[in-house]
Coordinates of all heavy atoms in Angstrom, one line a residue:
M1082 N 92.8 -18.8 80.2 CA 92.0 -18.4 81.4 C 90.6 -18.8 81.2 O 90.0 -18.7 80.2 CB 92.1 -16.8 81.5 CG 91.4 -16.3 82.7 SD 92.1 -14.6 83.0 CE 90.6 -13.8 83.4
G1083 N 90.0 -19.3 82.3 CA 88.6 -19.8 82.3 C 87.6 -18.7 82.2 O 87.8 -17.6 82.6
V1084 N 86.5 -19.1 81.7 CA 85.4 -18.1 81.6 C 84.6 -18.2 82.9 O 84.4 -19.3 83.5 CB 84.5 -18.5 80.4 CG1 83.4 -17.5 80.2 CG2 85.3 -18.6 79.1
P1085 N 84.2 -17.0 83.4 CA 83.6 -17.0 84.8 C 82.3 -17.9 84.9 O 82.1 -18.5 86.0 CB 83.2 -15.6 85.0 CG 84.0 -14.8 84.1 CD 84.3 -15.7 82.9
F1086 N 81.6 -18.1 83.9 CA 80.3 -18.8 84.0 C 80.6 -20.3 84.1 O 79.7 -21.1 84.4 CB 79.3 -18.5 82.9 CG 79.8 -18.9 81.5 CD1 79.6 -20.2 81.1 CD2 80.4 -17.9 80.7 CE1 80.0 -20.5 79.8 CE2 80.8 -18.3 79.4 CZ 80.6 -19.6 79.0
E1087 N 81.8 -20.8 83.7 CA 82.2 -22.2 83.8 C 82.1 -22.7 85.2 O 81.9 -23.9 85.5 CB 83.6 -22.5 83.2 CG 83.6 -22.4 81.7 CD 85.0 -22.7 81.2 OE1 85.9 -22.9 82.0 OE2 85.1 -22.7 80.0
A1088 N 82.3 -21.9 86.2 CA 82.3 -22.3 87.6 C 80.8 -22.5 88.1 O 80.6 -23.2 89.0 CB 82.9 -21.2 88.5
L1089 N 79.9 -22.0 87.3 CA 78.5 -22.2 87.7 C 77.9 -23.5 87.2 O 76.8 -23.9 87.6 CB 77.7 -21.0 87.3 CG 78.1 -19.6 87.8 CD1 77.3 -18.5 87.2 CD2 78.0 -19.6 89.4
I1090 N 78.5 -24.1 86.2 CA 77.9 -25.3 85.6 C 77.7 -26.4 86.6 O 76.7 -27.0 86.7 CB 78.8 -25.8 84.4 CG1 78.7 -24.7 83.3 CG2 78.3 -27.1 83.9 CD1 79.5 -25.0 82.1
P1091 N 78.7 -26.7 87.5 CA 78.5 -27.8 88.5 C 77.3 -27.5 89.5 O 76.6 -28.3 89.9 CB 79.8 -27.9 89.3 CG 80.8 -27.3 88.4 CD 80.1 -26.3 87.5
Y1092 N 77.2 -26.2 89.8 CA 76.1 -25.8 90.7 C 74.7 -26.0 90.0 O 73.8 -26.4 90.6 CB 76.3 -24.3 91.1 CG 77.5 -24.2 92.0 CD1 78.6 -23.5 91.7 CD2 77.5 -24.8 93.3 CE1 79.7 -23.3 92.5 CE2 78.6 -24.6 94.2 CZ 79.7 -23.9 93.7 OH 80.7 -23.8 94.6
A1093 N 74.7 -25.7 88.7 CA 73.5 -25.9 87.9 C 73.1 -27.4 87.9 O 71.9 -27.7 88.0 CB 73.6 -25.3 86.6
I1094 N 74.1 -28.2 87.7 CA 73.9 -29.6 87.7 C 73.4 -30.1 89.0 O 72.4 -30.9 89.1 CB 75.2 -30.4 87.2 CG1 75.5 -30.1 85.8 CG2 75.0 -31.9 87.4 CD1 76.8 -30.6 85.3
M1095 N 74.0 -29.7 90.1 CA 73.6 -30.1 91.4 C 72.2 -29.6 91.7 O 71.3 -30.4 92.2 CB 74.5 -29.6 92.5 CG 75.9 -30.3 92.5 SD 76.9 -29.9 93.9 CE 76.8 -28.1 94.1
L1096 N 71.9 -28.4 91.4 CA 70.5 -27.9 91.6 C 69.5 -28.6 90.8 O 68.4 -29.0 91.3 CB 70.5 -26.4 91.2 CG 69.2 -25.7 91.4 CD1 68.8 -25.6 92.9 CD2 69.2 -24.3 90.8
G1097 N 69.9 -29.0 89.5 CA 68.9 -29.8 88.7 C 68.7 -31.1 89.3 O 67.5 -31.6 89.3
M1098 N 69.7 -31.8 89.8 CA 69.6 -33.1 90.3 C 68.7 -33.1 91.6 O 67.9 -34.0 91.9 CB 70.9 -33.8 90.6 CG 71.6 -34.2 89.4 SD 70.7 -35.4 88.4 CE 71.1 -34.9 86.8
F1099 N 69.0 -32.1 92.5 CA 68.2 -32.0 93.7 C 66.7 -31.7 93.3 O 65.8 -32.3 94.0 CB 68.7 -30.9 94.6 CG 69.9 -31.3 95.5 CD1 71.0 -30.6 95.4 CD2 69.8 -32.4 96.3 CE1 72.1 -31.0 96.2 CE2 70.8 -32.8 97.1 CZ 72.0 -32.1 97.0
G1100 N 66.5 -30.9 92.4 CA 65.1 -30.6 92.0 C 64.4 -31.8 91.4 O 63.3 -32.1 91.6
L1101 N 65.1 -32.6 90.6 CA 64.6 -33.8 90.0 C 64.3 -34.9 91.0 O 63.2 -35.5 91.0 CB 65.6 -34.4 89.0 CG 65.1 -35.6 88.2 CD1 64.0 -35.2 87.3 CD2 66.3 -36.2 87.4
T1102 N 65.2 -35.0 92.0 CA 64.9 -35.9 93.1 C 63.7 -35.5 93.9 O 62.8 -36.3 94.3 CB 66.1 -36.0 94.0 OG1 67.3 -36.4 93.2 CG2 65.9 -37.0 95.1
G1103 N 63.6 -34.2 94.3 CA 62.5 -33.7 95.0 C 61.1 -33.9 94.3 O 60.2 -34.3 94.9
A1104 N 61.1 -33.6 93.0 CA 59.9 -33.8 92.2 C 59.5 -35.3 92.1 O 58.3 -35.6 92.2 CB 60.1 -33.2 90.8
G1105 N 60.5 -36.1 92.0 CA 60.3 -37.5 91.9 C 59.7 -38.1 93.2 O 58.7 -38.9 93.2
L1106 N 60.3 -37.7 94.3 CA 59.7 -38.2 95.6 C 58.3 -37.6 95.8 O 57.4 -38.3 96.4 CB 60.6 -37.7 96.7 CG 61.9 -38.5 96.9 CD1 62.8 -37.9 97.9 CD2 61.6 -39.9 97.2
S1107 N 58.1 -36.4 95.4 CA 56.7 -35.8 95.6 C 55.7 -36.5 94.8 O 54.6 -36.8 95.2 CB 56.8 -34.3 95.2 OG 55.5 -33.8 95.3
K1108 N 56.1 -36.9 93.6 CA 55.2 -37.7 92.7 C 54.9 -39.0 93.2 O 53.7 -39.5 93.2 CB 55.7 -37.7 91.3 CG 54.8 -38.4 90.3 CD 53.6 -37.6 90.1 CE 52.7 -38.3 89.1 NZ 51.4 -37.7 89.0
I1109 N 55.9 -39.7 93.8 CA 55.7 -41.1 94.3 C 54.8 -41.0 95.5 O 53.9 -41.8 95.7 CB 57.1 -41.7 94.7 CG1 57.8 -42.1 93.4 CG2 56.9 -42.9 95.6 CD1 59.2 -42.5 93.6
R1110 N 55.0 -40.0 96.4 CA 54.1 -39.9 97.5 C 52.7 -39.6 97.1 O 51.7 -40.1 97.7 CB 54.6 -38.8 98.5 CG 55.7 -39.1 99.3 CD 55.9 -38.0 100.4 NE 57.2 -38.3 101.0 CZ 58.0 -37.3 101.4 NH1 57.7 -36.0 101.2 NH2 59.1 -37.6 102.0
H1111 N 52.5 -38.8 96.1 CA 51.2 -38.5 95.6 C 50.5 -39.7 95.0 O 49.3 -39.9 95.2 CB 51.3 -37.4 94.5 CG 50.1 -36.8 94.0 ND1 49.4 -37.3 92.8 CD2 49.2 -35.9 94.5 CE1 48.3 -36.6 92.7 NE2 48.2 -35.8 93.7
M1112 N 51.3 -40.5 94.3 CA 50.7 -41.8 93.7 C 50.4 -42.8 94.9 O 49.4 -43.5 94.8 CB 51.7 -42.4 92.8 CG 51.8 -41.6 91.5 SD 53.2 -42.1 90.4 CE 53.2 -43.8 90.5
Q1113 N 51.2 -42.9 95.9 CA 51.0 -43.8 97.0 C 49.7 -43.4 97.8 O 49.1 -44.2 98.4 CB 52.2 -43.8 98.0 CG 53.3 -44.6 97.4 CD 54.5 -44.6 98.3 OE1 54.6 -43.8 99.2 NE2 55.4 -45.6 98.1
N1114 N 49.4 -42.1 97.8 CA 48.2 -41.7 98.6 C 46.9 -41.7 97.7 O 45.9 -41.1 98.1 CB 48.4 -40.2 99.0 CG 49.2 -40.2 100.3 OD1 49.1 -41.1 101.1 ND2 49.9 -39.1 100.5
G1115 N 47.0 -42.4 96.6 CA 45.8 -42.5 95.7 C 45.5 -41.2 95.0 O 44.3 -40.9 94.7
G1116 N 46.4 -40.3 94.8 CA 46.2 -39.1 94.1 C 45.7 -38.0 95.0 O 45.3 -36.9 94.6
K1117 N 45.8 -38.2 96.3 CA 45.4 -37.2 97.3 C 46.6 -36.6 98.0 O 47.6 -37.1 98.0 CB 44.4 -37.9 98.3 CG 43.2 -38.4 97.7 CD 42.3 -39.1 98.7 CE 41.1 -39.8 98.0 NZ 40.4 -40.5 99.0
R1118 N 46.3 -35.5 98.6 CA 47.4 -34.8 99.3 C 47.7 -35.5 100.6 O 46.9 -36.2 101.2 CB 47.0 -33.3 99.6 CG 46.7 -32.5 98.4 CD 46.4 -31.1 98.7 NE 47.6 -30.5 99.3 CZ 47.7 -29.3 99.6 NH1 46.7 -28.5 99.4 NH2 48.8 -28.8 100.1
A1119 N 48.9 -35.4 101.1 CA 49.3 -36.0 102.3 C 48.5 -35.5 103.6 O 48.2 -34.4 103.6 CB 50.8 -35.8 102.6
R1120 N 48.4 -36.4 104.5 CA 47.6 -36.1 105.7 C 48.6 -35.6 106.8 O 49.7 -36.1 106.9 CB 46.8 -37.2 106.3 CG 45.7 -37.6 105.4 CD 44.9 -38.7 106.0 NE 43.7 -39.0 105.2 CZ 42.9 -39.9 105.5 NH1 43.0 -40.7 106.5 NH2 41.8 -40.1 104.7
H1121 N 48.2 -34.7 107.6 CA 49.0 -34.2 108.7 C 48.2 -34.3 110.0 O 47.0 -34.2 110.0 CB 49.5 -32.7 108.5 CG 50.2 -32.6 107.3 ND1 51.6 -33.0 107.1 CD2 49.9 -32.1 106.0 CE1 52.0 -32.7 105.9 NE2 51.0 -32.1 105.2
S1122 N 48.9 -34.4 111.1 CA 48.2 -34.5 112.5 C 47.2 -35.6 112.5 O 46.0 -35.3 112.9 CB 47.6 -33.1 112.8 OG 48.6 -32.1 112.8
I1123 N 47.6 -36.8 112.3 CA 46.7 -37.9 112.3 C 46.6 -38.4 113.7 O 47.6 -38.7 114.3 CB 47.2 -39.0 111.3 CG1 47.3 -38.5 109.9 CG2 46.3 -40.2 111.4 CD1 47.9 -39.5 109.0
D1124 N 45.4 -38.5 114.3 CA 45.2 -39.0 115.6 C 44.7 -40.5 115.6 O 44.6 -41.0 114.5 CB 44.3 -38.1 116.4 CG 42.9 -38.0 115.8 OD1 42.7 -38.6 114.7 OD2 42.0 -37.3 116.4
Q1125 N 44.4 -41.0 116.7 CA 44.0 -42.4 116.8 C 42.7 -42.7 116.0 O 42.5 -43.7 115.3 CB 43.8 -42.9 118.2 CG 43.5 -44.3 118.4 CD 44.6 -45.2 117.9 OE1 45.7 -44.9 118.0 NE2 44.2 -46.4 117.4
W1126 N 41.7 -41.7 116.0 CA 40.5 -41.9 115.3 C 40.7 -41.9 113.7 O 40.2 -42.8 113.1 CB 39.5 -40.7 115.6 CG 38.3 -40.8 114.8 CD1 38.0 -40.0 113.7 CD2 37.2 -41.6 115.0 NE1 36.8 -40.3 113.2 CE2 36.2 -41.3 114.0 CE3 36.8 -42.6 115.9 CZ2 35.0 -41.9 113.9 CZ3 35.6 -43.2 115.8 CH2 34.7 -42.9 114.8
D1127 N 41.6 -41.1 113.3 CA 42.0 -41.1 111.9 C 42.6 -42.4 111.5 O 42.3 -42.9 110.4 CB 42.9 -39.9 111.5 CG 42.2 -38.6 111.7 OD1 41.0 -38.5 111.4 OD2 42.8 -37.6 112.0
R1128 N 43.5 -42.9 112.3 CA 44.2 -44.1 112.0 C 43.2 -45.3 111.9 O 43.3 -46.2 111.1 CB 45.3 -44.4 113.0 CG 46.5 -43.6 112.9 CD 47.6 -44.1 113.8 NE 48.7 -43.1 113.9 CZ 48.8 -42.1 114.8 NH1 47.9 -42.1 115.8 NH2 49.8 -41.3 114.8
Q1129 N 42.2 -45.3 112.8 CA 41.2 -46.3 112.9 C 40.3 -46.3 111.6 O 40.0 -47.3 111.0 CB 40.4 -46.2 114.1 CG 39.3 -47.2 114.3 CD 38.5 -47.1 115.6 OE1 38.8 -46.3 116.4 NE2 37.5 -47.9 115.7
M1130 N 40.0 -45.1 111.2 CA 39.1 -44.9 110.0 C 40.0 -45.3 108.8 O 39.4 -45.9 107.8 CB 38.6 -43.5 109.9 CG 37.6 -43.1 110.9 SD 36.1 -44.1 110.8 CE 36.2 -45.2 112.2
M1131 N 41.3 -44.9 108.7 CA 42.1 -45.3 107.6 C 42.2 -46.8 107.5 O 42.2 -47.4 106.4 CB 43.4 -44.6 107.7 CG 43.4 -43.1 107.4 SD 44.9 -42.3 107.8 CE 46.1 -43.1 106.9
D1132 N 42.3 -47.5 108.6 CA 42.4 -49.0 108.7 C 41.1 -49.6 108.2 O 41.1 -50.5 107.4 CB 42.8 -49.4 110.1 CG 43.1 -50.9 110.1 OD1 43.7 -51.4 109.1 OD2 42.7 -51.6 111.1
R1133 N 40.0 -49.0 108.6 CA 38.7 -49.5 108.2 C 38.5 -49.3 106.6 O 38.1 -50.2 105.9 CB 37.6 -48.8 108.9 CG 36.2 -49.3 108.5 CD 35.1 -48.4 108.6 NE 35.5 -47.2 107.8 CZ 34.6 -46.2 107.6 NH1 33.4 -46.3 108.0 NH2 35.0 -45.1 106.9
D1134 N 39.0 -48.1 106.2 CA 38.9 -47.9 104.7 C 39.8 -48.8 103.9 O 39.4 -49.3 102.8 CB 39.3 -46.5 104.4 CG 38.3 -45.4 104.9 OD1 37.1 -45.8 105.2 OD2 38.6 -44.2 105.0
R1135 N 41.0 -49.2 104.5 CA 41.8 -50.1 103.8 C 41.2 -51.5 103.8 O 41.3 -52.2 102.8 CB 43.2 -50.2 104.5 CG 44.2 -51.1 103.9 CD 45.4 -51.4 104.7 NE 45.1 -51.8 106.0 CZ 44.7 -53.1 106.3 NH1 44.6 -54.0 105.4 NH2 44.5 -53.4 107.6
R1136 N 40.5 -51.9 104.9 CA 39.9 -53.2 104.9 C 38.7 -53.2 103.9 O 38.4 -54.3 103.3 CB 39.5 -53.6 106.3 CG 40.7 -53.9 107.2 CD 40.3 -54.4 108.5 NE 39.6 -53.4 109.3 CZ 38.3 -53.5 109.7 NH1 37.6 -54.5 109.4 NH2 37.8 -52.5 110.4
L1137 N 38.0 -52.1 103.8 CA 36.8 -52.0 102.9 C 37.2 -52.0 101.4 O 36.6 -52.7 100.6 CB 36.0 -50.8 103.2 CG 34.9 -51.0 104.3 CD1 34.3 -49.7 104.6 CD2 33.9 -52.0 103.9
T1138 N 38.2 -51.1 101.1 CA 38.5 -50.9 99.7 C 39.8 -51.5 99.2 O 40.0 -51.6 98.0 CB 38.6 -49.4 99.4 OG1 39.7 -48.8 100.2 CG2 37.3 -48.7 99.8
G1139 N 40.7 -51.8 100.1 CA 42.0 -52.3 99.7 C 43.1 -51.2 99.6 O 44.3 -51.5 99.4
Y1140 N 42.7 -50.0 99.7 CA 43.6 -48.8 99.7 C 43.6 -48.1 101.0 O 42.5 -48.0 101.6 CB 43.2 -47.9 98.5 CG 43.3 -48.5 97.2 CD1 42.1 -48.9 96.5 CD2 44.5 -48.7 96.6 CE1 42.2 -49.4 95.3 CE2 44.6 -49.3 95.3 CZ 43.4 -49.7 94.7 OH 43.5 -50.3 93.4
L1141 N 44.7 -47.6 101.4 CA 44.8 -46.9 102.7 C 43.9 -45.6 102.6 O 43.3 -45.2 103.6 CB 46.2 -46.5 103.0 CG 46.5 -45.9 104.4 CD1 46.1 -46.9 105.5 CD2 47.9 -45.4 104.5
R1142 N 43.9 -44.9 101.5 CA 43.2 -43.7 101.4 C 41.8 -43.8 100.6 O 41.2 -42.9 100.2 CB 44.0 -42.6 100.7 CG 45.2 -42.2 101.4 CD 45.0 -41.3 102.6 NE 44.3 -40.1 102.3 CZ 44.8 -39.0 102.1 NH1 46.1 -38.8 102.0 NH2 44.0 -37.9 101.8
G1143 N 41.5 -45.1 100.3 CA 40.2 -45.3 99.6 C 39.0 -45.2 100.4 O 39.0 -45.5 101.6
Q1144 N 37.9 -44.7 99.8 CA 36.6 -44.6 100.5 C 35.6 -45.1 99.6 O 35.7 -45.1 98.3 CB 36.4 -43.1 100.9 CG 37.3 -42.6 101.9 CD 37.0 -41.2 102.3 OE1 36.3 -40.5 101.6 NE2 37.7 -40.7 103.3
T1145 N 34.5 -45.6 100.2 CA 33.4 -46.1 99.4 C 32.1 -45.6 99.9 O 32.0 -45.3 101.1 CB 33.4 -47.7 99.4 OG1 32.4 -48.2 98.6 CG2 33.3 -48.3 100.8
D1146 N 31.1 -45.6 99.0 CA 29.8 -45.1 99.4 C 28.8 -46.3 99.3 O 27.6 -46.0 99.3 CB 29.3 -43.9 98.6 CG 29.3 -44.2 97.1 OD1 29.8 -45.3 96.7 OD2 28.8 -43.4 96.4
E1147 N 29.3 -47.5 99.2 CA 28.4 -48.7 99.2 C 27.6 -48.8 100.5 O 28.1 -48.6 101.5 CB 29.2 -49.9 98.9 CG 29.9 -49.9 97.6 CD 29.0 -50.1 96.4 OE1 27.9 -50.7 96.5 OE2 29.3 -49.5 95.3
V1148 N 26.4 -49.2 100.3 CA 25.5 -49.4 101.5 C 25.9 -50.6 102.3 O 26.0 -50.7 103.5 CB 24.0 -49.4 101.1 CG1 23.1 -49.7 102.3 CG2 23.6 -48.1 100.4
A1149 N 26.2 -51.7 101.6 CA 26.5 -53.0 102.2 C 28.0 -53.2 102.0 O 28.7 -52.8 101.0 CB 25.8 -54.1 101.5
A1150 N 28.6 -53.8 103.1 CA 30.0 -54.2 103.0 C 30.3 -55.3 102.0 O 29.4 -56.1 101.8 CB 30.5 -54.6 104.4
P1151 N 31.5 -55.4 101.5 CA 31.8 -56.4 100.5 C 31.8 -57.8 101.2 O 31.9 -57.9 102.4 CB 33.2 -56.0 100.0 CG 33.7 -55.2 101.0 CD 32.6 -54.4 101.6
P1152 N 31.6 -58.9 100.4 CA 31.6 -60.2 101.0 C 33.0 -60.5 101.7 O 34.0 -60.1 101.1 CB 31.3 -61.1 99.9 CG 31.2 -60.3 98.6 CD 31.3 -58.9 99.0
G1153 N 32.9 -61.1 102.8 CA 34.2 -61.4 103.6 C 34.5 -60.3 104.5 O 35.4 -60.5 105.4
F1154 N 33.9 -59.2 104.5 CA 34.3 -58.1 105.5 C 33.8 -58.5 106.9 O 34.5 -58.0 107.8 CB 33.6 -56.8 105.0 CG 34.1 -55.6 105.9 CD1 35.3 -55.1 105.7 CD2 33.2 -55.0 106.8 CE1 35.8 -54.0 106.5 CE2 33.6 -54.0 107.6 CZ 34.9 -53.5 107.4
E1155 N 32.8 -59.3 107.0 CA 32.3 -59.6 108.4 C 33.3 -60.5 109.1 O 33.4 -60.5 110.3 CB 31.0 -60.3 108.3 CG 31.0 -61.7 107.6 CD 30.8 -61.5 106.1 OE1 30.7 -60.4 105.6 OE2 30.8 -62.6 105.5
L1156 N 34.2 -61.1 108.4 CA 35.3 -62.0 109.0 C 36.6 -61.2 109.1 O 37.5 -61.7 109.6 CB 35.5 -63.2 108.1 CG 34.2 -64.1 108.0 CD1 34.5 -65.3 107.0 CD2 33.7 -64.6 109.3
N1157 N 36.6 -60.0 108.5 CA 37.8 -59.2 108.5 C 37.9 -58.3 109.8 O 37.5 -57.2 109.8 CB 37.8 -58.3 107.3 CG 39.2 -57.7 107.0 OD1 40.0 -57.8 107.8 ND2 39.2 -57.0 105.9
N1158 N 38.3 -58.9 110.9 CA 38.2 -58.3 112.2 C 39.5 -57.5 112.4 O 40.6 -58.1 112.4 CB 38.0 -59.3 113.3 CG 37.7 -58.7 114.6 OD1 37.8 -57.5 114.8 ND2 37.2 -59.5 115.5
P1159 N 39.4 -56.2 112.8 CA 40.7 -55.4 113.0 C 41.2 -55.7 114.4 O 42.4 -55.2 114.7 CB 40.2 -54.0 112.9 CG 38.8 -54.0 113.4 CD 38.3 -55.3 112.9
W1160 N 40.5 -56.3 115.3 CA 41.0 -56.5 116.7 C 42.2 -57.5 116.7 O 42.1 -58.6 116.2 CB 39.9 -57.0 117.6 CG 38.9 -55.9 117.9 CD1 38.8 -54.7 117.4 CD2 37.7 -56.1 118.6 NE1 37.7 -54.0 117.8 CE2 37.0 -54.9 118.6 CE3 37.2 -57.1 119.4 CZ2 35.8 -54.7 119.3 CZ3 36.0 -57.0 120.1 CH2 35.4 -55.7 120.0
R1161 N 43.2 -57.1 117.3 CA 44.4 -58.0 117.5 C 44.3 -58.7 118.8 O 44.0 -58.1 119.9 CB 45.7 -57.2 117.5 CG 45.8 -56.2 116.3 CD 45.8 -56.8 115.0 NE 46.2 -55.9 113.9 CZ 45.3 -55.4 113.1 NH1 44.0 -55.6 113.3 NH2 45.7 -54.6 112.1
T1162 N 44.4 -60.0 118.8 CA 44.3 -60.7 120.0 C 45.6 -61.3 120.4 O 46.5 -61.5 119.6 CB 43.2 -61.9 119.9 OG1 43.7 -62.7 118.8 CG2 41.9 -61.3 119.6
E1163 N 45.7 -61.6 121.7 CA 47.0 -62.2 122.1 C 46.9 -63.7 122.0 O 45.8 -64.4 121.8 CB 47.2 -61.9 123.6 CG 46.2 -62.4 124.5 CD 46.4 -61.9 126.0 OE1 47.0 -60.8 126.2 OE2 45.9 -62.6 126.9
K1164 N 48.1 -64.4 121.9 CA 48.1 -65.8 121.8 C 47.6 -66.5 123.0 O 47.8 -66.1 124.1 CB 49.6 -66.3 121.6 CG 50.2 -65.7 120.4 CD 49.8 -66.4 119.1 CE 50.6 -65.9 117.9 NZ 50.1 -66.4 116.7
R1165 N 46.8 -67.5 122.8 CA 46.3 -68.3 123.9 C 47.3 -69.2 124.6 O 48.1 -69.7 123.9 CB 45.1 -69.2 123.4 CG 44.0 -68.4 122.7 CD 42.9 -68.0 123.5 NE 42.5 -68.9 124.6 CZ 41.4 -68.8 125.2 NH1 40.5 -67.8 124.9 NH2 41.0 -69.6 126.1
I1166 N 47.2 -69.3 125.9 CA 48.1 -70.2 126.6 C 47.3 -71.5 126.9 O 46.3 -71.5 127.6 CB 48.6 -69.6 127.9 CG1 49.4 -68.3 127.5 CG2 49.5 -70.6 128.7 CD1 49.8 -67.5 128.8
Y1167 N 47.8 -72.6 126.4 CA 47.1 -73.9 126.6 C 47.9 -74.7 127.6 O 49.0 -74.8 127.8 CB 47.0 -74.7 125.3 CG 46.0 -74.0 124.3 CD1 46.5 -73.3 123.2 CD2 44.6 -74.0 124.6 CE1 45.6 -72.7 122.3 CE2 43.8 -73.4 123.7 CZ 44.3 -72.7 122.6 OH 43.4 -72.1 121.7

């Protein structure tokens, strides 16, 4: 006859695997955000500023306090243009 706690072993394994997966995904998101917490309710202004920060620093969540833009930033135009018809 089986011992009652033997039925709980698969549930403990499943719980452990779900916890490990959740913690791993949380850590990966944390690392992708540059060590910062995730943003919520991002509007068009926030997207524009995030794009500008990405063009300035190379990171989506990076910010800089430099007075002058890095070389090449004057040619880094965020405006998307349509193809010309010739």
Side-chain angles (χ1 to χ4, degrees):
M1082 183 162 140
V1084 183
F1086 65 85
E1087 286 181 357
L1089 299 178
I1090 292 175
Y1092 293 112
I1094 292 172
M1095 289 190 316
L1096 182 66
M1098 290 298 145
F1099 279 123
L1101 183 67
T1102 304
L1106 285 174
S1107 175
K1108 184 62 178 173
I1109 287 173
R1110 281 192 193 141
H1111 188 263
M1112 289 169 36
Q1113 286 178 339
N1114 278 329
K1117 298 177 183 175
R1118 299 184 65 177
R1120 291 183 174 179
H1121 301 285
S1122 301
I1123 299 173
D1124 60 358
Q1125 185 61 33
W1126 175 259
D1127 293 329
R1128 285 188 192 96
Q1129 183 177 354
M1130 291 296 107
M1131 286 169 57
D1132 188 39
R1133 185 210 51 173
D1134 291 342
R1135 182 190 54 77
R1136 290 185 295 116
L1137 274 172
T1138 64
Y1140 298 104
L1141 186 64
R1142 296 287 304 266
Q1144 294 178 350
T1145 181
D1146 60 351
E1147 297 290 328
V1148 176
F1154 186 74
E1155 64 274 0
L1156 303 174
N1157 191 355
N1158 192 347
W1160 291 0
R1161 311 297 189 260
T1162 59
E1163 61 186 26
K1164 299 281 184 186
R1165 303 266 324 194
I1166 300 173
Y1167 292 106

